[in-house]
Amino acid sequence: MPDSLLIVGSVAYDNVETPGGRVENALGGSALFGAAAASLFAPVHLVGIVGTDFDRAGIAFLEERGVDLTGLETAEGNTFRWTGVYEDDMNNRRTLATELNVFANFAPRIPDRYRGDRIVFLGNIAPRLQLHVLDQMAGPEWVALDTMDMWIRDAADDLACVLKRVHMVVINDSEARALTGKTNLAVAARSILDMGPRAVVVKKGEHGVLLAVEGEFAVLPALPLETVVDPTGAGDSFAGGMLGYIAATGDVTVSGLRRALAYGTAAASLAVEDYSFNRLRGARREALDERYRWLRSISFLPDPHDQERHNA
Ligand code: AMP
């Protein structure tokens, strides 16, 4: 029986503009993207907050997949709303508006039956709230944390505290540089390890990911997709896929983490092929296994001695 994965993060309505089109009121947020990916591997416990305007019918598929939504609180007011626009290369995005609404008063309450969960994803929320979540847990074995520039800038002390209490940091390249002041990503990853966690994953968008764990590095490319509709949620789907796999296997050895990274990459590749989690909604585990095989085939490096043998 796989472990349950606890996911705490934002639940949002997103307005997104890409060079190819736009959507309004699309379901999003770190918790929902994370759950949409992770639930393909393991049971998910979700903690977040929505307003009275939130239509739960849009996430009924998560319940059908066994996601427990007891921890999704409804408060008077509107759901968190994010508006962003992507530049032509789809790698850079600008936030046009962040309307916190009910998210401004979010104080995550972990239901009793989630408190013993062994795997935890702390999505991008205030580090103070991430600490509050950990204070309610019985002693999880693997906690992964995401964060963003705003917290690195405005909540550095809380972030330093929570970094000492997590096992893994999942962060993008510009955030890794902002957090450490190091331009070189390998150096930045090592200095994040010095802040407390056992493993760091630096996400580099279409250029893949860098893992630093126990003094070693591993790299994985992103899949060379020819259709990218909307990169929103790629990072959270990556984290969800990776942690869902860890919850399913309990394997946090270096090779287990490499496999988890590949499943995260597979989940992210599905997420970006449509708006919101439209693609992940209909996906099955087999689609991720197929992408895993594709990633493996494009990452394969022949043994250089094979050439010598060929010439002999
Ligand atoms: P990603 O593309 O994986 O980095 O995550 C995109 C999601 O993050 C969107 O669905 C947004 O709703 C959500 N988001 C954007 N800004 C914030 C914020 N300040 N706090 C929490 N979630 C956010």
Side-chain angles (χ1 to χ4, degrees):
M1 186 61 190
D3 277 328
S4 293
L5 166 68
L6 171 65
I7 300 183
V8 185
S10 56
V11 175
Y13 279 127
D14 291 338
N15 299 323
V16 179
E17 190 176 326
T18 68
R22 54 181 296 146
V23 278
E24 291 198 347
N25 303 324
L27 283 164
S30 55
L32 292 190
F33 276 111
S39 56
L40 291 164
F41 295 97
V44 173
H45 291 160
L46 188 145
V47 170
I49 190 167
V50 294
T52 41
D53 62 338
F54 191 76
D55 181 3
R56 287 190 183 233
I59 56 170
F61 81 100
L62 289 178
E63 279 187 295
E64 283 156 22
R65 277 207 206 145
V67 177
D68 184 326
L69 298 176
T70 317
L72 182 61
E73 187 190 333
T74 302
E76 199 57 46
N78 286 331
T79 302
F80 173 68
R81 188 172 292 268
W82 176 76
T83 304
V85 54
Y86 285 87
E87 290 173 12
D88 283 346
D89 69 0
M90 295 279 239
N91 253 341
N92 292 316
R93 75 174 173 215
R94 267 182 309 126
T95 292
L96 298 183
T98 301
E99 298 158 63
L100 291 177
N101 302 327
V102 295
F103 199 46
N105 299 319
F106 184 40
R109 261 198 310 273
I110 311 301
D112 285 345
R113 70 167 181 282
Y114 298 3
R115 291 183 183 213
D117 287 348
R118 295 201 292 198
I119 315 292
V120 178
F121 175 43
L122 298 171
N124 169 28
I125 55 176
R128 180 177 54 81
L129 299 182
Q130 293 176 325
L131 283 167
H132 182 55
V133 171
L134 293 183
D135 287 342
Q136 296 170 69
M137 300 301 292
E141 276 165 28
W142 194 260
V143 180
L145 161 149
D146 186 11
T147 194
M148 71 186 292
D149 296 33
M150 182 169 65
W151 308 123
I152 293 169
R153 202 181 52 234
D154 300 339
D157 292 348
D158 288 339
L159 185 56
C161 283
V162 71
L163 282 171
K164 291 196 178 71
R165 292 178 58 184
V166 303
H167 306 85
M168 178 181 237
V169 171
V170 188
I171 193 169
N172 73 29
D173 44 5
S174 67
E175 292 157 355
R177 291 186 171 113
L179 178 61
T180 60
K182 312 282 188 204
T183 325
N184 177 301
L185 288 180
V187 175
R190 263 199 211 285
S191 49
I192 296 172
L193 289 182
D194 291 338
M195 297 176 189
R198 262 188 59 196
V200 178
V201 181
V202 181
K203 298 171 289 176
K204 300 182 291 172
E206 65 177 322
H207 304 298
V209 290
L210 169 71
L211 167 74
V213 57
E214 292 170 10
E216 281 181 44
F217 289 108
V219 287
L220 224 66
L223 286 162
L225 301 175
E226 294 185 29
T227 309
V228 175
V229 172
D230 176 9
T232 308
D236 300 314
S237 310
F238 170 85
M242 174 177 67
L243 292 162
Y245 180 77
I246 291 174
T249 59
D251 186 357
V252 289
T253 61
V254 175
S255 24
L257 291 179
R258 291 174 73 125
R259 276 190 290 273
L261 229 57
Y263 275 112
T265 299
S269 77
L270 290 181
V272 303
E273 286 182 335
D274 202 342
Y275 289 104
S276 182
F277 32 73
N278 294 342
R279 180 82 172 79
L280 282 172
R281 186 195 307 265
R284 296 167 59 95
R285 165 72 195 257
E286 292 74 50
L288 295 171
D289 291 331
E290 194 183 306
R291 296 249 159 148
Y292 188 109
R293 287 192 291 275
W294 183 20
L295 187 60
R296 207 166 164 227
S297 71
I298 63 164
S299 315
F300 173 70
L301 268 184
D303 182 335
H305 298 301
D306 288 350
Q307 181 63 41
E308 289 158 24
R309 278 194 282 273
H310 179 79
N311 289 343

